């Protein structure tokens, strides 16, 4: 959830938001709508309370409270549908917000019906919110994230031979790339907002990793890996969109036709929409799947909440640990492990002499 105001192109400033990845859809734009803001805080507060109740062994109250939290969470996403359809013009994000309500309501229904395993997924969402909301709501942290991301993106542009400089964007931060509109193809530029920092995606993996039962030492490596990969790919994406928009990389007739006729956007915004809404967001989904696979190989416990996600989407039970050859280690790593963990199964205890003699006699009797 993000209190970001998802800025769109405005004729007199011709600036677009640099990027907002699909994973950050989990944390998008609530500050621009008071109702959404209230719903987001209410949902995360309920998820956190349910997590505490489960920790206190009050499982039934935790289930019912988490069920209500999921319903509120679904309503929160629906309130953002007009924003993503009319302003951001993102087909992927619009579809996800529309689908969120029935999926969240169904999750709440399953919890009420007794599917306690969903408390783990609810806990993951609670931790995601706890990670993200301070970054979003504490001004000094928010400013640092946005302006640092803008500076890093500008450095990436400089490596490719572009040095526009950075100026104050519509959001009030030093995050707008100061391309000269008279020298670029489209006369447009982009600026960085909170969702461009990748903090939403980082919070998602932080929530999943933090929610499962495993020793801290086994959680550190996948957490560091996921954060590092997200940061690097997010930087590449920011640079890509930041250059594609002003220099009109996708101003071809076919793209212009789709953007203007079916999305009602200005001609000069075509490159931004193609780069941001179509290419970057689609590749982000692929990247998130790849990062998830790497995390699962290192921390198989993460498969448990992912199996529940698949059940919610398909109504079918899946055993991802068997499919991927990973053994769930919710016991904290004790006992036998598969070759994926790099160790051999624990040896069986040797039979006693009495047991061996009894076995021999039994074999002899069977032969008679």
């Amino acid at each position: 959830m993000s209190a970001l105001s998802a800025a769109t192109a405005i004729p007199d400033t011709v600036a677009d938001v640099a990027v907002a990845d699909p994973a950050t859809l989990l944390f998008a734009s609530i500050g621009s709508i008071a109702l959404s803001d209230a719903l987001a805080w209410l949902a995360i507060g309920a998820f956190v309370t349910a997590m505490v109740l489960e920790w206190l062994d009050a499982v039934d109250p935790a289930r019912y409270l988490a069920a209500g939290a999921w319903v509120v969470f679904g309503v929160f996403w629906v309130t953002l549908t007009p924003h993503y359809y009319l302003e951001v013009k993102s087909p992927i994000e619009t579809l996800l917000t529309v689908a969120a309500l029935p999926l969240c309501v169904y999750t709440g229904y399953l919890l009420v019906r007794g599917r306690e395993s969903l408390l783990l997924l609810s806990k993951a969402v609670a931790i995601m919110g706890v990670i993200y909301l301070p970054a979003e709501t504490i001004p000094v942290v928010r400013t640092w994230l946005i302006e640092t991301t803008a500076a890093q993106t500008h450095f990436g542009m400089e490596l490719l031979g572009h040095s526009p400089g950075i100026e104050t964007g519509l959001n009030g931060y030093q995050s707008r790339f100061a391309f000269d509109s008279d020298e670029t193809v489209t006369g447009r530029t982009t600026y960085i907002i909170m969702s461009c920092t990748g903090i939403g995606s980082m919070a998602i993996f932080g929530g999943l990793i933090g929610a499962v039962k495993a020793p801290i030492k086994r959680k550190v490596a996948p957490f560091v890996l996921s954060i590092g990969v997200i940061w690097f790919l997010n930087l590449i994406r920011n640079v890509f969109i930041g250059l594609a928009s002003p220099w009109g990389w996708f101003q071809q007739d076919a793209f212009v036709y789709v953007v203007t006729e079916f999305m009602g956007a200005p001609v000069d915004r075509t490159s931004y929409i193609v780069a941001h809404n179509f290419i970057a967001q689609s590749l982000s989904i692929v990247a998130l799947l790849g990062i998830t696979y790497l995390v699962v190989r290192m921390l198989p416990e993460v498969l448990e909440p992912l199996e529940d996600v698949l059940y919610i989407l398909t109504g079918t039970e899946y055993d991802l640990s068997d499919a991927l050859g990973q053994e769930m280690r919710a016991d904290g790593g004790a006992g036998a492990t598969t070759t994926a963990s790099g160790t051999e199964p624990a040896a069986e205890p040797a039979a006693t002499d009495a047991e061996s003699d009894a076995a021999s006699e039994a074999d002899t009797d069977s032969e008679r």
Side-chain angles (χ1 to χ4, degrees), residues 83-128:
H83 166 71
Y84 284 108
Y85 179 73
L86 298 174
E87 297 180 41
V88 180
K89 300 185 184 301
S90 170
I92 294 176
E93 291 173 320
T94 299
L95 290 174
L96 289 175
T97 56
V98 170
L101 180 58
L103 290 174
C104 287
V105 170
Y106 181 54
T107 303
Y109 168 77
L110 291 174
L111 276 164
V112 171
R113 295 280 301 198
R115 192 177 177 92
E116 293 183 10
S117 64
L118 285 171
L119 285 174
L120 180 59
L121 183 60
S122 302
K123 180 181 178 182
V125 175
I127 296 175
M128 292 174 199

Side-chain angles (χ1 to χ4, degrees), residues 105 117 195 291 295 308:
V105 170
S117 64
S195 63
I291 297 170
V295 169
D308 271 326

Side-chain angles (χ1 to χ4, degrees), residues 247-268:
W247 295 110
W249 289 356
F250 304 103
Q251 291 297 129
Q252 290 79 18
D253 291 341
F255 292 136
V256 170
Y257 177 79
V258 171
V259 168
T260 57
E261 294 297 321
F262 296 99
M263 305 180 71
V267 173
D268 59 1

Side-chain angles (χ1 to χ4, degrees), residues 14 19 48 68 80 122 131 134 141 143 168 193 203 206 251 266 287 302 317 345 357 362 366:
V14 289
V19 63
V48 171
L80 298 179
S122 302
I131 292 173
V141 178
T143 300
T168 303
I193 62 171
Q251 291 297 129
V302 171
E317 298 284 3
D357 292 341
S366 65

Side-chain angles (χ1 to χ4, degrees), residues 171-292:
N171 54 2
Y173 300 101
Q174 287 290 313
S175 64
R176 185 180 188 270
F177 304 114
F179 285 102
D180 188 336
S181 59
D182 294 329
E183 296 180 358
T184 58
V185 173
T186 64
R188 308 189 70 87
T189 189
T190 58
Y191 61 97
I192 300 295
I193 62 171
M194 190 64 173
S195 63
C196 308
T197 65
I199 187 65
S201 300
M202 295 176 187
I204 288 175
F205 283 97
L208 287 172
I209 294 170
V212 300
K213 295 180 180 179
I216 295 295
K217 63 181 180 181
R218 286 207 297 113
K219 290 184 177 184
V220 172
F223 177 75
V224 172
L225 173 69
S226 60
I227 297 304
V229 173
I230 289 170
W231 171 82
F232 180 70
L233 294 180
N234 186 67
L235 177 61
I236 293 176
R237 185 179 53 198
N238 283 343
V239 172
F240 166 66
I241 296 173
L243 293 177
S245 178
W247 295 110
W249 289 356
F250 304 103
Q251 291 297 129
Q252 290 79 18
D253 291 341
F255 292 136
V256 170
Y257 177 79
V258 171
V259 168
T260 57
E261 294 297 321
F262 296 99
M263 305 180 71
V267 173
D268 59 1
R269 203 172 181 228
T270 298
S271 284
Y272 168 76
I273 290 177
V274 172
H276 173 274
N277 294 1
F278 298 156
I279 298 176
Q281 288 186 348
S282 298
L283 291 179
S284 292
I285 294 174
V286 176
L288 289 173
L289 292 175
I291 297 170
T292 301

